[in-house]
Every structure is written in structure tokens, then in C-alpha cells.
Amino acid sequence: MSPLPKSVVLPYDNDNRPQQAYAVQVDAPFRRFGDRPLEMPRYLIKGILPLVGVALLAGQFSSGKTFIGLDLSLSLIHGVEFLGRKTKPGGVLWLAAEGGGLIERNIIAARKAKFTNAPGGPFPFLWEDSVPRGDTNAILAELKAKIRAAKGECDEHHPNRPLRLVIIDTLAAYFALEDENDNAKVGTFMARLGEIAKEEHVLIVPICHMGKSAESGIRGASAFGAGADAAIAVLADINQATGEVSECRTISLAKTRDGHPGPLASFALERIEIGTDEDGDPVMPGYVKFAPVGADKNGRPPSRGVRDFIESVSEAMIKYGADVQVFEDAPPRRAVRIDHVRDEFNRRHSVGDSVDPAGTKRKNYQRAHDKVLKDQMYASRTVGVVEYIWPVQV
């Protein structure tokens, strides 16, 4: 096939196929409004993840981020909704620099417990559990070659499931970054990762670590978050000594180009038997069981106060949200004053008595405030004399 002339552009549609070509002015220094068809948002998971680019899946140690990645992957492979959002069916390439030995067992558990209508036989989940060698540039070149090989395998064996998602578990284990705290170097790395995603027309999702609390964000340079097109945060109130989780975990949209950041759902890690080991003991891997935002550790729905508080934060953010310098050594964060949230809560939360002599509304507000911060659905900080609150961000 002869190469296309420079004046012909072949964008991709939402099914990963080239659209009809059209000519553009290659000698014009700028684009002109209306000189080409309007480019509509393209999604992998509507309102959450874009079709192409780099998205981070971040979480604390033992928060369940790998389980979320597998659940997301299986939703795409089987063409079902993820958290009630439409998905683009497709294949997945999983590069397991950590925890590779558990991948197959966890997939079997999730398919047995949740994806019960899935067909049997081979399906487009491609994975390897090796750690690449060499410097960052060599690993990036190797990554591109692996993505191309996976695309070819999906095209040949799964024509209805083109490769769409590449998950790297974890970013720190897979890449030989010289200094993860150097913004300039990390910015260059993220830009290169984005170039590969666009060239191969896939979404690359590195799994990365967060600090001990929602306030601290992703470990390392702020350029990780700045260079991503989207980010999902997996959060939990974890006892650092025992690893025990006191309540339901939370999955939150931490960054998005087209949607609205904030909590998406709560979830728990359930276990299901898939067989027995050599001693006859049951083998019981985990899978994700979602629940409403703010649910308790048993999956029971949140109180009305918690629901009203979450809605109050969203409403106040729309009305009064501003970019606030909450940390001296970090970029500004989109946040809202807590008194605006309290005013909105008082407006919408009814306790059946407008006088409320027992202070029930105030108590419900405080309980809800304390729970969402404890569960790390939101972060807060006092700047000067003003307390601000914001959804978890990267």
C-alpha cells in the first residue's frame, strides 16, 4: 500500500477503525474553526476513562487497586457496563511486574462470581509476568513492540475485541525511572507514554502507589498526575500495622477531562472457592463486589446524612469551587470551603422539625463529615482560618 499524502488524515472512530479520510491545509500555521469535522469525546468507559491516552489507577498498599483493574478489564472483554457506565468492548494486555502469579486465579474467581454469562474458552486477556531490563527508553521501546504484537494477536484471534487497554502493574516495578520525584524527568516520561498510546490507539493504565492518606496523592512527582488524561483512585481506611480495612473501600474518579471528579462507588473484596490445593484445602481468590458510595464494610447502603453530604459537596463545588493552594509544594487543587458545604447540607437535609431543638441536623452533618474523611472519599485541609474540602485528586 502506498503511503498517504500529507494532506490526508485518518482519525479513528469509537470502534478503533479508521474513519473516512479528508484533506486539510498542511501549509496553514493554525487550525481554523470548522475546517474539519467536530471531534466528539471518545470513551473507553463513558464519563470515566477516555478511549486513548494515559490514565492512572492509583491506590494505597492493599487497597484493592489490582482487583479493580481486573474487574475493569473483564467488563471490557465481556462487553458489559462498568459501574453502570457504557464501555467499548475490547481486548486487554496486562503486564504484571508484580503479583503475576495471582492473575489467573483472580480472573477465574471474578468470572465465576460476577461474569456468569461469559462464554468459555480463550478470550482476549493477554498477559506476562516478566520485569523488563534496561533503561527507561529501552523499556518504552519494548512496551511499544509488545502493544503492537498484542494488537496483532487480538486482530487475528478476536476480531470483535480489538486491543483497547494496556495495564501495567505496577509503574514503579515495570519502569526503571531514575528519579520518580523529578518533575522534569517524570513529565518527559509521561509525554512519551502518551505518544505511544496515541500511536497505537490504546489506553495505557499504569497502576501506581499513593501515600498513606488521600491528601498525599500519588507517590512521587506531581508530573505523574499532571501528565495523565484521567485517574482513578482506590482508597480505604487501612490499619498500617495489620492491613485490616475498617470500612468499605472506595473507588473515586480523581481526574477527568470530560466528567466530574468524585466518589464513584464503594466496594468490598469477596472470596469464592475455585478448587482445592494439594492438601485438599479450598483455594479462594478475591473479586470485587460494588456497593453504593459510603456503604459500610458489610455493603449496607450509606445513611441519608452521608448521601446528602456527598451531594452537598458536589453542588457546592459547582457553585463555589475554586483553585486553592492547599499545599505549598504542590499545584493548586479544585476545592470548596466547608462552610458552603454545610450551608448546602442544611438546605437539603430534613429532620422533620424546622426548629430542631436537639441539634439532630448538626449531629448528622458532623457524622457524615467524619465518615467521608475517614473513608478517604474526600480530603480536607485548613488554609489560614478556612477549611477546604475536595474530592481525592492526583
Side-chain angles (χ1 to χ4, degrees):
M1 178 182 291
S2 60
L4 293 169
K6 292 184 178 180
S7 61
V8 173
V9 179
L10 286 176
Y12 286 83
D13 65 13
N14 276 357
D15 289 321
N16 221 9
R17 295 185 294 257
Q19 292 177 335
Q20 182 178 357
Y22 55 85
V24 296
Q25 289 289 112
V26 296
D27 57 346
F30 307 107
R31 290 178 56 179
R32 295 188 298 273
F33 179 78
D35 66 356
R36 65 180 65 180
L38 178 63
E39 183 177 349
M40 303 302 290
R42 296 174 293 166
Y43 63 87
L44 188 64
I45 301 176
K46 196 165 190 177
I48 300 178
L49 293 178
L51 186 64
V52 174
V54 178
L56 303 177
L57 176 55
Q60 302 143 294
F61 178 75
S62 298
S63 62
K65 49 190 181 294
T66 297
F67 289 96
I68 290 293
L70 287 172
D71 197 276
L72 191 159
S73 299
L74 291 171
S75 297
L76 300 180
I77 289 170
H78 296 306
V80 299
E81 292 184 343
F82 179 77
L83 294 178
R85 314 291 183 97
K86 293 179 180 179
T87 62
K88 287 288 183 293
V92 176
L93 172 61
W94 189 290
L95 302 174
E98 290 184 7
L102 303 175
I103 295 295
E104 288 184 297
R105 278 174 275 170
N106 290 333
I107 288 177
I108 292 170
R111 295 184 86 195
K112 182 177 181 179
K114 294 183 63 174
F115 300 89
T116 54
N117 295 325
F123 65 114
F125 184 94
L126 314 175
W127 68 284
E128 69 169 27
D129 58 357
S130 62
V131 179
R133 303 299 179 187
D135 61 17
T136 302
N137 288 331
I139 294 173
L140 285 169
E142 182 180 344
L143 172 64
K144 185 174 180 178
K146 289 179 179 179
I147 293 174
R148 287 192 170 178
K151 289 180 70 175
E153 186 165 336
C154 284
D155 291 343
E156 180 179 357
H157 299 289
H158 310 282
N160 294 324
R161 292 292 188 271
L163 184 71
R164 297 198 188 277
L165 179 65
V166 178
I167 292 187
I168 301 171
D169 188 9
T170 62
L171 184 150
Y174 194 86
F175 291 102
L177 296 180
E178 184 178 341
D179 184 357
E180 67 174 11
N181 295 300
D182 188 316
N183 267 310
K185 292 179 180 178
V186 169
T188 300
F189 165 77
M190 291 296 290
R192 182 63 188 126
L193 205 60
E195 290 171 2
I196 294 173
K198 291 177 182 177
E199 290 168 6
E200 301 306 321
H201 205 71
V202 295
L203 182 69
I204 299 177
V205 178
I207 296 179
C208 50
H209 296 287
M210 298 182 74
K212 294 181 180 180
S213 68
E215 287 186 0
S216 56
I218 292 175
R219 190 182 70 190
S222 60
F224 283 119
D229 299 290
I232 292 174
V234 183
L235 304 159
D237 180 28
I238 302 173
N239 185 314
Q240 298 298 317
T242 65
E244 182 181 1
V245 178
S246 64
E247 293 286 353
C248 250
R249 297 162 165 89
T250 301
I251 175 174
S252 185
L253 186 57
K255 180 179 180 180
T256 176
R257 302 291 190 195
D258 298 308
H260 301 284
L264 295 170
S266 294
F267 71 97
L269 296 181
E270 302 287 341
R271 302 285 174 178
I272 187 170
E273 183 176 343
I274 63 169
T276 57
D277 63 16
E278 60 183 6
D279 298 318
D281 296 323
V283 176
M284 302 184 67
Y287 68 94
V288 171
K289 183 177 181 181
F290 287 113
V293 174
D296 65 16
K297 61 182 177 181
N298 296 314
R300 288 188 292 262
S303 67
R304 187 165 58 86
V306 170
R307 296 197 305 270
D308 285 346
F309 188 95
I310 292 170
E311 293 172 1
S312 297
V313 174
S314 299
E315 185 67 25
M317 189 71 74
I318 293 172
K319 293 180 179 177
Y320 306 109
D323 293 331
V324 181
Q325 191 71 46
V326 292
F327 298 105
E328 293 182 359
D329 57 347
R333 296 174 184 259
R334 194 71 177 174
V336 66
R337 285 167 40 175
I338 198 68
D339 56 310
H340 289 315
V341 176
R342 186 184 298 108
D343 291 344
E344 180 63 26
F345 181 91
N346 289 334
R347 185 189 67 79
R348 69 172 60 229
H349 187 72
S350 172
V351 294
D353 187 345
S354 58
V355 179
D356 189 20
T360 303
K361 184 178 293 190
R362 176 180 55 79
K363 294 175 183 177
N364 289 349
Y365 167 85
Q366 193 61 49
R367 279 194 289 265
H369 171 277
D370 294 346
K371 176 172 174 55
V372 301
L373 293 182
K374 181 175 182 290
D375 291 352
Q376 303 203 45
M377 288 184 276
Y378 297 90
S380 72
R381 188 174 178 85
T382 299
V383 181
V385 295
V386 179
E387 181 185 352
Y388 289 91
I389 190 169
W390 63 91
V392 173
Q393 300 170 11
V394 298

